[in-house]
Amino acid sequence: MSKGTTIKEALAQWETKSGEKAGEAEEIKLLCQIPSIEKMDASLSTLTNCKKLSLSTNAIEKITNLNGLKSLKILSLGRNNIKSFSGLEPVGDTLEELWISYNLIEKMKGIGVLKKLKVLFMSNNLVKDWSELQKLSELPCLVDLNMVNNPIEEKHSLEGTWRSEIEKKLVKLKKLDGVPIVRQDDEDEG
């Protein structure tokens, strides 16, 4: 089996293609690397100006080395092999959107560090327990959540209780699975 592409190699290719310096860029896309990126290595720490980092469609298993990304607002990690949220602590005070659909996440432990997170797209993962979803209540800014095709969503959608349960548990949510939430008090104000 061939060795995966390193972040350093992917950044060098990105710089050649874009004509920009990675350390100065606000948006960097390292998606669909061939061979795939397997590790988020220390080269990421050079991306001090990066506001949006896309590492989707690779073979990353762990979130690591985000320490230098002091400006990061959007992190796209969809279609990887990520199993947990650990490693997000360094961006806990800046990250506003986390796109992490099509991974292997079952437990929500570690999500609570993202105090500015507004948008969480995590469809097609493995979350199956309400106790895990309850951890989302630790996110004071969360307004947009996508949980389509997680075992918990599938089960409760079939039972017809998914939306009403989430609306009760996450009262600040404005959009669920791409559909706006209309609450009684919203209607009274209009």
Side-chain angles (χ1 to χ4, degrees), residues 70-180:
K70 303 291 183 217
S71 305
L72 194 65
K73 294 192 179 303
I74 301 172
L75 179 58
S76 175
L77 289 167
R79 297 187 186 274
N80 277 288
N81 299 316
I82 296 168
K83 295 182 177 109
S84 80
F85 290 108
S86 65
L88 289 169
E89 298 82 4
V91 294
D93 291 332
T94 60
L95 200 68
E96 295 178 2
E97 297 187 23
L98 179 58
W99 307 348
I100 198 158
S101 296
Y102 295 93
N103 274 284
L104 305 169
I105 298 170
E106 186 176 338
K107 306 282 185 203
M108 305 297 284
K109 184 179 179 198
I111 193 78
V113 301
L114 301 175
K115 295 302 178 195
K116 294 202 173 157
L117 195 71
K118 296 176 183 173
V119 176
L120 177 61
F121 294 154
M122 63 173 295
S123 67
N124 299 281
N125 274 280
L126 304 172
V127 180
K128 57 184 177 233
D129 297 321
W130 281 119
S131 60
E132 294 305 320
L133 271 187
Q134 195 59 43
K135 293 175 181 147
L136 295 177
S137 63
E138 298 169 25
L139 304 173
C141 301
L142 187 67
V143 292
D144 190 349
L145 173 66
N146 189 328
M147 293 290 295
V148 169
N149 293 332
N150 275 272
I152 190 166
E153 180 274 334
E154 291 174 328
K155 176 184 187 287
H156 291 281
S157 285
L158 280 174
E159 294 171 2
T161 58
W162 173 245
R163 289 189 70 81
S164 61
E165 286 299 316
I166 287 290
E167 287 174 26
K168 278 189 254 174
K169 293 176 189 319
L170 302 173
V171 295
K172 292 182 181 167
L173 216 55
K174 299 204 179 311
K175 193 185 273 188
L176 176 62
D177 302 331
V179 180

